[in-house]
Amino acid sequence: MNPAGLAAAAGTPRLPSKRRTPASPPDMADPHQLFDDTSSAQNRGYGAQRAPGGLGYPNTSASAQAAFLADPVSNMAMAYGSSLAAQGKELVDKNIDRFIPVTKLKYYFAVDTVYVGKKLGLLVFPYLHQDWEVQYQQDTPVAPRFDINAPDLYIPAMAFITYILVAGLALGTQDRFSPDLLGLQASSALAWLALEVLAILLSLYLVTVNTDLTTIDLVAFLGYKYVGMIGGVLMGLLFGKTGYYLVLGWCCVSIFVFMIRTLRLKILAEAAAEGVPVRGARNQLRMYLTMAVAAAQPLLMYWLTFHLVR
């Protein structure tokens, strides 16, 4: 062995060799990277087809919508449809009050708790009330919550619903309840109310009464009798027929007095304003009409409730 070589091998330490990783070509990914970076790929795979608005799919809605709007025929059709819709809405807004007087109905439901309590007391005890005139403000009647004499629809509507519920309760306690019988009770009450309104309107037309009494006013006044009907049926359920007849009789007299004092201001006052003599023939007909409307209320109250108490 060569001495120089041995000396070199013994005296000079040998450095560890480093493993060199071959340089990857420019178009290859880093070998230490677990996944390929495709964010900068512009011309590979699906990256070139990705659209900004879709989940990896081309966004074709914008181009289709633009093409649709660019079509003059489509624009004309859209404009024509919009004009038809606007004309239809305007026609409905103009004629809706002709069939459903929404603005008038709002007036009849403008009540509060104080008004409801006072009006119920007036319906049951009308004997001590003195001022029956309806208050006006600039030729317009004030809202019911400001005038106890003003008619409303809240009490008649709630009283009618309560009457149907109480009738169902009475039928249930007698083991006679059925949905058909309850529906017949409600429909018969509504039929009698509609018949009353039509008869009064026809009578006012035949007698030629010029009054501000409207159809909604009639519905309100005629619907107040349901309050007494509820009281009579409830007392009949608690105390039998004796309680029924006592309470219903009181309520019948009360509603008679209430209707006389209310309607005479609506019917007879117009006659006095027109200069019709008090004892004239036409004025006598108006008085008889007022009496007939008031007398019909107790009869209907008994007719619609007597079969509910046994």
Side-chain angles (χ1 to χ4, degrees):
M1 181 177 293
N2 189 357
L6 292 174
T12 304
R14 188 175 180 179
L15 295 177
S17 61
K18 295 183 178 180
R19 183 179 179 182
R20 297 180 177 272
T21 303
S24 58
D27 57 344
M28 293 183 62
D30 187 2
H32 297 288
Q33 186 174 350
L34 297 178
F35 302 98
D36 294 338
D37 184 9
T38 59
S39 60
S40 59
Q42 301 294 330
N43 299 318
R44 288 202 311 264
Y46 63 90
Q49 300 177 357
R50 179 181 296 177
L55 298 175
Y57 298 97
N59 189 0
T60 58
S61 59
S63 58
Q65 186 176 6
F68 176 77
L69 294 177
D71 190 357
V73 178
S74 301
N75 292 333
M76 185 181 299
M78 291 180 60
Y80 183 70
S82 301
S83 65
L84 285 181
Q87 292 177 4
K89 184 178 181 300
E90 182 180 359
L91 183 63
V92 170
D93 293 339
K94 287 182 178 179
N95 297 321
I96 190 171
D97 284 341
R98 185 179 302 178
F99 305 100
I100 304 176
V102 178
T103 55
K104 293 182 179 180
L105 289 178
K106 290 181 180 179
Y107 165 80
Y108 290 95
F109 284 94
V111 300
D112 55 9
T113 306
V114 177
Y115 168 83
V116 172
K118 290 182 178 180
K119 195 58 172 278
L120 292 177
L122 181 61
L123 293 173
V124 180
F125 300 98
Y127 313 104
L128 302 179
H129 191 63
Q130 299 297 328
D131 185 15
W132 294 85
E133 291 284 347
V134 178
Q135 301 178 14
Y136 283 82
Q137 184 178 7
Q138 297 180 355
D139 298 333
T140 303
V142 299
R145 65 175 176 268
F146 302 119
D147 184 13
I148 192 175
N149 297 320
D152 71 283
L153 286 178
Y154 177 80
I155 293 178
M158 295 297 103
F160 177 80
I161 297 174
T162 307
Y163 160 70
I164 299 302
L165 296 177
V166 172
L169 177 62
L171 294 174
T173 56
Q174 302 169 11
D175 294 332
R176 296 190 298 136
F177 177 81
S178 67
D180 296 336
L181 190 58
L182 189 62
L184 180 62
Q185 190 75 24
S187 59
S188 61
L190 287 176
W192 278 111
L193 180 61
L195 185 62
E196 281 186 280
V197 173
L198 293 177
I200 295 173
L201 291 177
L202 180 60
S203 301
L204 292 175
Y205 173 76
L206 295 177
V207 183
T208 63
V209 177
N210 296 324
T211 177
D212 59 351
L213 195 64
T214 63
T215 304
I216 304 179
D217 292 337
L218 290 176
V219 174
F221 289 131
L222 298 176
Y224 287 137
K225 63 175 172 287
Y226 295 117
V227 176
M229 294 164 58
I230 295 169
V233 175
L234 288 178
M235 291 299 104
L237 293 177
L238 295 176
F239 303 104
K241 287 190 175 182
T242 302
Y244 166 74
Y245 284 114
L246 287 177
V247 175
L248 187 68
W250 177 273
C251 293
C252 287
V253 176
S254 299
I255 197 66
F256 179 81
V257 174
F258 174 82
M259 295 295 289
I260 287 290
R261 295 185 177 181
T262 302
L263 293 181
R264 69 185 177 90
L265 296 177
K266 295 289 186 179
I267 298 177
L268 298 179
E270 293 292 336
E274 294 173 1
V276 179
V278 177
R279 297 187 179 275
R282 184 176 298 179
N283 198 23
Q284 290 292 331
L285 290 177
R286 296 179 180 183
M287 188 178 300
Y288 292 151
L289 175 60
T290 304
M291 296 287 292
V293 174
Q297 305 310 303
L299 296 177
L300 288 174
M301 290 171 66
Y302 175 75
W303 177 258
L304 293 174
T305 57
F306 79 96
H307 60 281
L308 298 175
V309 179
R310 290 186 178 182

